[in-house]
Amino acid sequence: MEKTVLLMGAPNVGKSALFNRLTGLNVRVANYTGTTVDYASGVIRLGDEHVNLIDVPGTYSLCATCEAEEVAVEMVCGKSGDSCSRKPSPACCGKQEAAVSMGTGQPELIVYVLDAGNFEGGLYLLLQLLELKIPMLVALNRGDLALEKGYIVDIKALTDTLGIPVIPTIALSGKGVAELKTRIFDLLNSRTGAAVNERKNVSATWDNVEMLTEKVLRKTGAGNNSSRDKWDRRLTNPWPGLLLAVLILILVFAGIVGIGMGLRQFILLPLFRGLIFPPLIDFISWLIPAGTIQDIFIGEYGFLIKGLEWPFTLVLPYVLSFYFILSLVEDSGYMPRLAILLDGLFKRLGLPGTSIIPFMLGYGCGIPAIMATRALGSQKERLMVTILICLAVPCISQTGAFISLLAARSVAVMIALFVLSWLVMIVAGLFLNRYLEGSRAETLLEIPDLLLPRIDVVAKKLWLRLKLYVTDGALPMIAAVAGASVLYETGLMAAFGRAISPLVTLWLRLPEEAAAPLILGILRRELSVLPLLDLELTTLQLFTGAVVGLFYVPCIAIVATVAREFKVAFAVAILLLTTFIAFFFGGLIARLDIFF
Amino acid sequence: MSLCQEKELNLNIQSAKLSSLGPGSSAMVVSIPEHPLLYSLGLRPGKIIQCCGCQLFGGPLMIKTGDRQVALSKIIAEKIIVDII
């Protein structure tokens, strides 16, 4: 049987960064609590040996406070370990019988990641895990940060007190990873029992946590973090923090739009229109005689033209600019600061400030955003954030489409669209807060240290996004456009348009062809908008179309995610709700002309 | 600004609710409510903490325990009794 190693630790200590270093895989890393909400599994290789490594979501103790932490607790305690979950007592699982904990698939080894820069925070879980008698070694991460704060962890004292090996690492730069790898295999190959027997008996009590801290953590001096502290105070205190938050959000928005437009205008558009399309059109014209078949490839909705132009010149630039800026924001540790600055305002909607994280992710793509709601404290919060994201948070592909559709005609309409989306979210939030059952968890959040984002980490994230976009974004989009071009050229789309024409022409006051995005939009969110580009619409019609596209059903992949994370019935309810709201607001907007 | 000062000091002059601390003051935790995270975040009886002020709009109280920074809602802070130092 394949051997399994668990990578565990408190939240935000660098487990995922270490996982990526050890396995060569690329799971998401960011500087806030709750980045990893599900386990990821990979393989560590050394020579011809290999072993399964599982990156477990961070938790402070074996008592889960949210669904992400439950995943972690289940990994060591097993699903049946009901005594573990959601008990309020601080030491609820400390005395758990090891026999109960050993569910199926007991791990061979735990690699415990301990943050040297936040030493005490990870000790309790470490002691709890030691009680389970599973072989363990400690990766003491971020010694550089500790040193900067004026601390040093006495590795020998830690090893001697606990009786387990401790290896210093710096996951982001890769320091110590090779040694860690060797030690993992050494331990797996040695008699595991021996490793456990050398262990000292230090029970999981808070007294022991303090004893360990006292014994092992040495102060080296005053530390060298005055500028970090200064910026921390500026960004975290209401003054000037709130002002800076507004400025930062404006910068983020301007950066995404500006960088995206630049990439499109100066790089991607010239590349495709100048270098890629002319030979492609020549080739297809030579290969296929003029007619329906040729049109399907290179006609008005030809999928080789739209199918390349839309994903690569319209959407890709914004995907790149969005994730570049998002990486900077999430690696710096600013997200939790924004979350607590806004916590009081969000509370009025029944949401925690930390829900800003899934919302921000949702402006990229709804799927990771809905997954990220697992880190929220209550089921009600999860449901609310999920509904609001499905309803009114456009993904970056759709935002790219909006920019192309609206920015050239009227920037005011573009801004009005976003303002409308926020207003609808606030009203829907107030409504949901009132009528959904459940409560809001009280805010209790550790604020991580501010870090300067590392350019190599950001570049790697961007590269991954690009690859993921090509496989999971562009290819489905090309397929959908191909399907649509068949429907167009065969006249089926027009027939469908006539069938629902009362809704489209009478209620939304759009031309019959505007029925097309309503079908395509079910497949992908941006396709509820992009086909409108080629219709000659008035500004009001553009606004109507954009509003319908914005509130219209989330894409099919999001619906599937919602069904998986919650219930199928809930996904169906979201489909009905979003469709209704889209047509309702669309019809209202179409009638705005009575005011002019 | 005295956003955090809720004037509900206990009769004992030394003891107070954490929510009544002003920015910049230090205190020692005496008792905490049952909550799975408080211990882990360093809010344990006997610990010295520093109040760094409050967020606006009824937002959380910011405190420092050692060099960790924690945001906690006023409702939890009201249930934490501290000795003012």
Side-chain angles (χ1 to χ4, degrees):
Chain A
M1 204 182 84
E2 194 111 311
K3 286 181 175 174
T4 302
V5 174
L6 297 185
L7 193 62
M8 298 190 70
N12 210 36
V13 296
K15 292 177 295 300
S16 295
L18 204 54
F19 176 84
N20 290 346
R21 286 281 173 188
L22 285 168
T23 59
L25 289 176
N26 294 292
V27 296
R28 232 168 72 74
V29 295
N31 185 13
Y32 51 74
T33 300
T35 308
T36 307
V37 291
D38 200 356
Y39 67 89
S41 142
V43 176
I44 325 179
R45 285 173 212 286
L46 188 75
D48 21 316
E49 286 185 285
H50 63 97
V51 62
N52 248 346
L53 183 70
I54 296 177
D55 181 22
V56 181
T59 174
Y60 289 104
S61 71
L62 289 178
C63 335
T65 58
C66 65
E67 286 179 47
E69 293 183 357
E70 271 166 25
V71 173
V73 175
E74 280 170 11
M75 303 279 345
V76 277
C77 298
K79 268 207 170 177
S80 56
D82 286 335
S83 55
C84 265
S85 59
R86 290 185 189 261
K87 271 204 180 169
S89 153
C92 63
C93 309
K95 297 285 166 279
Q96 181 153 19
E97 291 296 313
V100 179
S101 319
M102 306 306 185
T104 47
Q106 181 202 342
E108 225 77 21
L109 175 74
I110 294 177
V111 175
Y112 191 84
V113 186
L114 191 58
D115 181 359
N118 182 359
F119 184 69
E120 198 205 67
L123 287 180
Y124 188 70
L125 177 63
L126 173 61
L127 295 181
Q128 280 190 317
L129 290 173
L130 278 172
E131 290 187 340
L132 297 180
K133 308 284 181 222
I134 301 169
M136 188 171 350
L137 69 83
V138 170
L140 185 69
N141 200 26
R142 303 215 283 192
D144 50 341
L145 187 69
L147 207 58
E148 211 180 296
K149 286 177 155 186
Y151 291 104
I152 193 159
V153 176
D154 185 338
I155 292 177
K156 189 170 179 305
L158 185 60
T159 313
D160 291 348
T161 317
L162 297 179
I164 54 172
V166 178
I167 294 112
T169 58
I170 297 174
L172 281 187
S173 72
K175 214 174 134 196
V177 173
E179 195 195 339
L180 180 64
K181 215 184 232 189
T182 319
R183 294 298 289 272
I184 289 173
F185 283 98
D186 282 353
L187 263 178
L188 286 173
N189 293 334
S190 71
R191 300 297 313 146
T192 47
V196 174
N197 289 340
E198 282 166 23
R199 198 174 282 176
K200 304 288 191 302
N201 205 0
V202 186
S203 57
T205 62
W206 288 100
D207 285 344
N208 279 336
V209 166
E210 305 212 342
M211 176 275 291
L212 258 173
T213 313
E214 193 126 315
K215 220 168 173 180
V216 171
L217 202 63
R218 311 225 182 288
K219 207 154 174 55
T220 56
N224 176 30
N225 48 359
S226 55
S227 83
R228 188 200 302 274
D229 274 354
K230 207 157 62 192
W231 274 105
D232 187 17
R233 276 197 300 276
R234 280 182 196 148
L235 290 171
T236 317
N237 290 342
W239 174 259
L242 279 166
L243 179 72
L244 288 172
V246 172
L247 288 177
I248 288 170
L249 288 176
I250 290 174
L251 263 178
V252 162
F253 189 75
I256 293 168
V257 175
I259 296 174
M261 280 181 147
L263 279 174
R264 168 175 159 78
Q265 215 58 43
F266 298 112
I267 299 176
L268 292 166
L269 213 50
L271 179 72
F272 275 81
R273 293 218 170 134
L275 291 175
I276 295 177
F277 287 151
L280 193 69
I281 290 173
D282 287 348
F283 177 69
I284 297 290
S285 313
W286 169 78
L287 195 70
I288 304 168
T292 308
I293 306 283
Q294 196 199 69
D295 283 348
I296 286 176
F297 281 94
I298 54 173
E300 191 187 356
Y301 275 86
F303 87 94
L304 283 182
I305 301 300
K306 294 293 172 222
L308 289 176
E309 199 170 299
W310 282 351
F312 290 110
T313 72
L314 258 173
V315 174
L316 178 63
Y318 299 102
V319 169
L320 291 176
S321 64
F322 177 84
Y323 284 105
F324 171 64
I325 296 203
L326 182 75
S327 304
L328 294 182
V329 175
E330 64 181 11
D331 286 6
S332 65
Y334 185 63
M335 290 279 230
R337 289 176 169 78
L338 189 61
I340 55 119
L341 282 170
L342 299 179
D343 192 68
L345 287 177
F346 273 55
K347 196 158 72 180
R348 313 209 164 173
L349 295 176
L351 289 175
T354 43
S355 55
I356 191 85
I357 292 170
F359 280 123
M360 294 264 259
L361 295 178
Y363 281 99
C365 172
I367 296 168
I370 290 164
M371 299 295 287
T373 61
R374 285 188 184 188
L376 299 180
S378 79
Q379 183 72 6
K380 178 180 175 175
E381 291 166 9
R382 283 202 72 188
L383 286 174
M384 281 183 67
V385 174
T386 301
I387 293 173
L388 295 181
I389 287 173
C390 289
L391 178 65
V393 176
C395 67
I396 189 61
S397 300
Q398 200 183 23
T399 302
F402 285 138
I403 295 172
S404 308
L405 186 71
L406 300 172
R409 186 77 68 92
S410 159
V411 176
V413 170
M414 172 90 194
I415 292 170
L417 182 72
F418 276 86
V419 171
L420 179 69
S421 78
W422 296 326
L423 289 178
V424 168
M425 271 161 64
I426 291 171
V427 174
L430 289 170
F431 182 83
L432 289 170
N433 185 30
R434 197 170 168 146
Y435 293 103
L436 271 185
E437 279 182 22
S439 62
R440 171 187 186 273
E442 286 302 325
T443 305
L444 186 55
L445 179 70
E446 178 159 22
I447 312 294
D449 290 300
L450 280 177
L451 298 174
L452 213 54
R454 288 175 58 108
I455 198 70
D456 54 335
V457 177
V458 172
K460 194 164 185 194
K461 279 188 180 185
L462 211 53
W463 171 241
L464 284 169
R465 274 291 156 193
L466 180 67
K467 283 203 293 195
L468 191 70
Y469 174 72
V470 170
T471 54
D472 292 16
L475 289 180
M477 208 189 308
I478 293 171
V481 173
S485 57
V486 172
L487 292 179
Y488 259 104
E489 302 303 338
T490 52
L492 283 171
M493 196 68 102
F496 177 77
R498 277 191 298 280
I500 62 163
S501 91
L503 199 55
V504 175
T505 54
L506 296 179
W507 174 244
L508 296 177
R509 300 184 176 174
L510 293 172
E512 250 177 28
E513 297 92 318
L518 293 177
I519 309 175
L520 296 178
I522 299 173
L523 298 174
R524 291 191 48 87
R525 221 164 168 159
E526 73 281 343
L527 292 181
S528 66
V529 181
L530 285 173
L532 301 174
L533 278 171
D534 298 307
L535 305 177
E536 287 182 0
L537 300 179
T538 64
T539 307
L540 187 64
Q541 284 179 317
L542 280 181
F543 192 23
T544 306
V547 166
V548 175
L550 172 70
F551 295 125
Y552 194 53
V553 295
C555 73
I556 209 155
I558 291 186
V559 176
T561 307
V562 171
R564 200 179 59 232
E565 288 287 303
F566 302 95
K567 272 189 263 180
V568 176
F570 181 56
V572 173
I574 283 190
L575 277 177
L576 294 176
L577 177 83
T578 50
T579 309
F580 171 77
I581 291 184
F583 282 105
F584 177 73
F585 277 100
L588 290 190
I589 299 289
R591 281 156 186 77
L592 277 184
D593 55 356
I594 55 168
F595 295 110
F596 300 107
Chain B
M1 242 189 303
S2 61
L3 275 161
C4 303
Q5 271 143 30
E6 298 193 356
K7 288 179 191 165
E8 282 189 54
L9 296 172
N10 277 9
L11 285 176
N12 182 340
I13 306 164
Q14 284 293 300
S15 288
K17 292 175 179 174
L18 175 57
S19 52
S20 70
L21 286 195
S25 50
S26 296
M28 188 178 79
V29 180
V30 176
S31 72
I32 59 166
E34 289 222 325
H35 191 294
L37 278 180
L38 283 172
Y39 269 80
S40 305
L41 294 178
L43 277 155
R44 303 192 285 274
K47 279 268 167 179
I48 308 289
I49 57 165
Q50 248 189 322
C51 177
C52 311
C54 250
Q55 296 296 338
L56 297 183
F57 320 113
L61 187 74
M62 306 296 300
I63 57 156
K64 275 202 163 177
T65 61
D67 50 25
R68 298 167 82 183
Q69 205 178 167
V70 175
L72 83 164
S73 82
K74 282 188 186 154
I75 296 191
I76 300 179
E78 273 183 7
K79 295 181 191 152
I80 298 176
I81 305 297
V82 295
D83 274 350
I84 299 169
I85 300 173

